[in-house]
Amino acid sequence: MKRIPFIAGNWKMNCTTSEAVSLVEGIKALISDITPEQVEVAVCPPFTALHRVAQLIEGTYIRLGAQDVFWKDKGAYTGQISPVMLKDVGCTYVIIGHSERRGRFGVPDPDMSDELLKLFGDNDATVNRKITAALSHGLKPIVCVGETLSERERGLTDEIVRRQVIGALNSIPTESVENITFAYEPVWAIGTGNVCDAYEANRVIGMIRGIISELYSSELAERVRIQYGGSVTPENIEELALQPEIDGALVGGASLRPDSFSAIVRTTMSAKQRIGQK
Ligand code: 13P
């Protein structure tokens, strides 16, 4: 089973509409020859730029993703965005359970006390609700999991990731699992420049595949894509993409420049071709 590699850009809280326009125009120009059979590509702008970016990528192979979703269709939930709205604006994907929403920041932020960091409030139960709601509206979740530095130092990496994966998949029916992409994003690697060692990322991602296999079947686990995320750059993507379990990347900072994002896409394609995975 050959999984198609998948590179997604998480723009986080960056880009006004006009900045989003120039970023996506730049990306379009640099990867216009890449087909979705080679590498699938998605951009995940902030909510405010989704509509404009959707217009600009129409007719291209670039797919649109959002960065979060609420689990209700509509109602008195001030400030929330529903899966219906994301479908309506043209999203294919939605990032769910990013560590910056679970309240587990990689880079210490002096403006955010521990209490404030918990304000976004995602946990295994809300992540599961969001995944369920997204799937029921035909959105494809990109589910983020990963340990903090202190969890890694205490030898808890496998236990934490296992708990997050099992929590995410609670009551998710077999036929939906293939529509989920996991992203292994060690919190300590996000925005820090400390990319995870490629062999270690491959090991943890292999473990995630093993959990999916235990919960469902090995055939299904072989079909689920699992990305790596955390300080991915054009310089380090090759080593990551040469690993057989790593199906691409969820890219933060380096997705904010057309040249670095497109270089990550191209290098992933050639690395997977080299190991015969594409
Ligand atoms: P960086 O690539 O900036 O480390 O961010 C990774 C990330 O959080 C993607 O979701």
Side-chain angles (χ1 to χ4, degrees):
M1 169 67 209
K2 290 186 174 140
R3 297 176 296 271
I4 293 174
F6 180 25
I7 302 292
N10 175 8
W11 296 4
K12 307 194 180 184
M13 197 177 73
N14 295 291
C15 293
T16 60
T17 308
S18 61
E19 289 165 346
V21 168
S22 50
L23 177 52
V24 81
E25 290 289 16
I27 293 170
K28 260 167 69 174
L30 291 174
I31 62 166
S32 59
D33 58 319
I34 305 262
T35 69
E37 289 77 38
Q38 295 172 310
V39 189
E40 209 179 324
V41 177
V43 291
C44 305
F47 291 126
T48 46
L50 286 173
H51 180 61
R52 191 73 188 99
V53 171
Q55 292 173 327
L56 294 172
I57 60 178
E58 211 183 315
T60 74
Y61 293 128
I62 302 170
R63 294 285 164 263
L64 189 67
Q67 298 175 18
D68 188 30
V69 65
F70 193 53
W71 59 82
K72 296 280 191 178
D73 290 358
K74 62 178 179 176
Y77 305 101
T78 303
Q80 295 298 317
I81 303 286
S82 82
V84 179
M85 295 164 178
L86 295 183
K87 255 326 244 193
D88 177 56
V89 80
C91 287
T92 302
Y93 291 99
V94 57
I95 297 170
I96 296 177
H98 194 282
S99 59
E100 288 155 15
R101 298 210 64 87
R102 292 184 193 246
R104 299 145 57 85
F105 274 59
V107 190
D109 185 337
D111 286 343
M112 302 282 256
S113 64
D114 283 355
E115 204 167 54
L116 283 175
L117 286 177
K118 289 190 195 115
L119 272 184
F120 300 141
D122 270 354
N123 57 46
D124 291 341
T126 59
V127 165
N128 177 249
R129 281 191 179 213
K130 291 177 178 190
I131 295 169
T132 305
L135 288 168
S136 76
H137 289 282
L139 289 163
K140 297 180 173 186
I142 301 172
V143 180
C144 302
V145 298
E147 80 289 354
T148 63
L149 182 58
S150 102
E151 287 161 349
R152 173 162 284 267
E153 285 170 349
R154 284 179 289 147
L156 297 176
T157 298
D158 293 12
E159 188 182 316
I160 295 290
V161 171
R162 188 177 177 83
R163 194 205 72 214
Q164 291 174 338
V165 172
I166 290 174
L169 290 171
N170 184 25
S171 302
I172 303 294
T174 309
E175 65 273 16
S176 297
V177 175
E178 232 181 306
N179 292 321
I180 299 175
T181 298
F182 279 93
Y184 170 54
E185 298 209 316
V187 180
W188 48 270
I190 295 176
T192 58
N194 300 326
V195 66
C196 183
D197 175 77
Y199 291 103
E200 173 61 5
N202 190 64
R203 184 193 71 77
V204 177
I205 289 175
M207 181 193 73
I208 295 172
R209 206 176 299 290
I211 298 166
I212 300 168
S213 173
E214 278 169 39
L215 295 175
Y216 298 91
S217 69
S218 57
E219 292 75 23
L220 181 53
E222 281 304 308
R223 292 204 296 273
V224 174
R225 288 187 296 190
I226 311 177
Q227 300 169 316
Y228 166 78
S231 295
V232 171
T233 63
E235 290 71 42
N236 61 31
I237 186 65
E238 181 173 37
E239 207 185 343
L240 291 159
L242 286 171
Q243 302 298 319
E245 297 287 355
I246 303 181
D247 299 318
L250 183 56
V251 186
S255 73
L256 295 172
R257 282 186 23 216
D259 57 346
S260 48
F261 187 64
S262 63
I264 289 169
V265 171
R266 283 184 187 285
T267 306
T268 301
M269 180 175 71
S270 52
K272 289 302 184 195
Q273 279 166 350
R274 242 205 290 157
I275 60 170
Q277 248 179 277
K278 251 325 289 169

